[in-house]
Amino acid sequence: MNNTLVISKRELGAYFATPVAYVFIVIFLLLMGVFAFYLGGFYERNQADLDAFFQWHPWLYLFLIPALSMRLWAEERKTGTIELLMTLPVSLTEAVLGKFLAAWCFTAVALMLTFPIWITVNYLGDPDNGVIVAAYLGSLIMAGAFLAIGSCISALTKNQVIAFVVSVVVCFCFVLSGFPMVLDFFSGWVPPMMLDAISDFSFLTHFAAIRKGVIDVRSLIYFLSLIALWLYATTVAIDARKAS
Amino acid sequence: MHAIEVRQLTKRFGPLTAVNGVSFTVDRGEVLGFLGPNGAGKSTTMKLITGFLEPSGGYAKVYGHDVVEEPIEAKRKLGYLPEGAPLYGEMTPRGFLEFIAEVRGFKGSEAQRRIAQVVEKVHLEGVMGQRIETLSKGYKRRVGLAQALLHDPEALILDEPTDGLDPNQKHEVRTLIHDMARDKAIIISTHILEEVDTVCTRAMIIGRGRVLFSGTPAELAARSEYHNAVSLVVRSGTAAAAKRRIEALAGVVRVEAGAVADGHVRILAMPRNGVSILADIAEAARAGGWEIDGLAVEAGRLDEVFRTITAHYQDDTFIPEGRERPRADRAAP
């Protein structure tokens, strides 16, 4: 556990040692604002809630999180530092977890910096702050799922561009798995039960309830088990590909 | 118990066998030098011992800990400088060494004490606050060394520790290795044969994943056809007679005479099967009254032995790297 934290700390430091962190945070906040105010119609809705803000999170994460996760392992493999890391007295699980937690903490920082919109809505009206807290937490957990997927795909390649593109595509499938463009691809050749399962995988459906303040335990379990599964897949991927 | 024990170690990458049944042991106080052409399996063997790769067969143990069964225990005992000394470029040497210290389980003043110690050892004082990616190759290599030495490991594996360093830095690193050798088991890999002579207690030549030779540097040199060869410098007037006389000696298989320079000629007499011919030649010189300006016995030429031993294992692209040569020279076919 201690090793996980040490690796997390180093990794988090690395974000802020380069412009990556600052560029990411600025773009993240800018896009969050643009989406909430222009596309979400934050003012026009005339409601004291942040639904106009939260509803775009899956779409923003779809592009922003792979940009964050692409370097997690691809960079270590490219520069060879993976050999350094894996020959220290650290287990693979600790390393995978440490790097993932760093990226997750960083996302949390970026998300927390959207607080002005929370202040704004409290200034303008009288929102249900419990709902907003729940939606923030739900959004963060969903971000974790995006990151875990990105972590695994980053472990499969040395090339960060490939890691980014493939992560976006895989995340896109998860975001939209309840929708025709994904379901049509599967319908006809997978059993109906499987099709139902796939349609239940949709990030949008699971997040829809959470952003309204309904913390559905099933959705939480869904996102958390997705994180666990993809992180496990990351360890398998590193084990299999670290030599090449 | 051996410090490092390797038995029938094998690593296959698909159809390619990179390491093929390699066995050896290293004890405390020994410095084992891995020699071999590029792609011979030196680095792969090191990656197997340090637990970065898993073997396809055989095992490697570090102070009794199998690197596959007990990786954490084995890695605690090991210090490792990977090939090319990969480092986190965005960190400073201080930040990086603090990270390594923490991972190695050192905290607070103990960590600081160890960092100070190792920084002094490899002379990093001036660059501790600079980003690693901005450092010169020599400094990067030293940061890599510092990382490997921080926990004062009982076993040390250094993949080309002097590669890319200038002659002074090379000398420093060799001295460092030599000083540490007493209470550690060390394996280094190198292309530089004189390094084997100066720092290694034992040399191992690897080719196509197999051990082709294992012995002391002296034994390696003894394999040279130049072993016990005698070179003498005589006045050019007596050179022809001297050459004829030496050729007639029973123990001499061949005599080479160089060109005349400053009125002197260098004559090199090659012994038959490495027998000692110095006494015979000295005797002949006295009897013949040659004017000799220099006389020396050769220990053997490592680069020549290296080429002979690995000759069968070379592929078309392999360029033998004997003694250090400038880069441009190496690139020539």
Side-chain angles (χ1 to χ4, degrees), chain A residues 1-70:
Chain A
M1 196 58 218
N2 178 49
N3 285 338
T4 306
L5 292 181
V6 174
I7 290 170
S8 263
K9 207 172 81 184
R10 193 212 73 76
E11 188 78 14
L12 206 54
Y15 286 120
F16 289 98
T18 57
V20 170
Y22 306 102
V23 171
F24 183 90
I25 287 177
V26 168
I27 300 287
F28 182 85
L29 296 179
L30 216 63
L31 287 179
M32 282 286 183
V34 167
F35 273 68
F37 288 103
Y38 290 91
L39 295 169
F42 176 73
Y43 290 125
E44 291 80 354
R45 291 174 79 242
N46 247 332
Q47 287 186 30
D49 64 21
L50 284 181
D51 202 41
F53 167 68
F54 284 114
Q55 64 170 319
W56 299 107
H57 282 201
W59 300 105
L60 280 167
Y61 288 161
L62 179 58
F63 291 97
L64 290 177
I65 299 280
L68 195 62
S69 65
M70 66 181 187

Side-chain angles (χ1 to χ4, degrees), chain A residues 117-170:
Chain A
I117 199 167
W118 191 355
I119 295 174
T120 308
V121 79
N122 272 290
Y123 176 73
L124 293 173
D126 185 20
D128 184 342
N129 282 317
V131 170
I132 292 173
V133 170
Y136 262 114
L137 283 177
S139 175
L140 186 60
I141 289 172
M142 182 173 65
F146 277 100
L147 276 172
I149 292 171
S151 157
C152 177
I153 288 158
S154 172
L156 287 168
T157 176
K158 274 182 191 174
N159 188 317
Q160 298 194 24
V161 176
I162 292 176
F164 174 77
V165 174
V166 176
S167 299
V168 169
V169 171
V170 174

Side-chain angles (χ1 to χ4, degrees), chain B residues 14 36 109 114 121 126 133-134 176 184 202 240 253 279 294 301:
Chain B
S109 57
R114 284 186 178 263
K121 220 180 237 176
E133 61 196 0
T134 67
L176 184 66
K184 292 189 201 311
R202 202 144 54 87
V253 70
R301 296 185 184 174

Side-chain angles (χ1 to χ4, degrees), chain A residues 2-3 6-7 9-10 14 17-18 76 79-91 242-243, chain B residues 13 47 50-53 72 75-76 80 82-83 86-88 90-91 96 99-100 102-104 107 131 147:
Chain A
N2 178 49
N3 285 338
V6 174
I7 290 170
K9 207 172 81 184
R10 193 212 73 76
T18 57
E76 294 257 358
T79 58
T81 45
I82 187 166
E83 190 169 350
L84 195 75
L85 187 61
M86 294 288 109
T87 51
L88 288 170
V90 173
S91 77
K242 66 185 172 188
Chain B
F13 296 108
K47 287 181 210 287
T50 53
F52 179 60
L53 297 178
I72 302 294
K75 286 168 185 174
R76 282 212 177 99
Y80 177 39
E83 190 178 11
L87 301 162
Y88 293 110
E90 78 283 348
M91 300 180 92
F96 178 67
F99 164 66
I100 298 290
E102 259 189 281
V103 172
R104 294 278 182 196
K107 290 198 177 66
R131 284 160 81 100
Q147 161 275 129

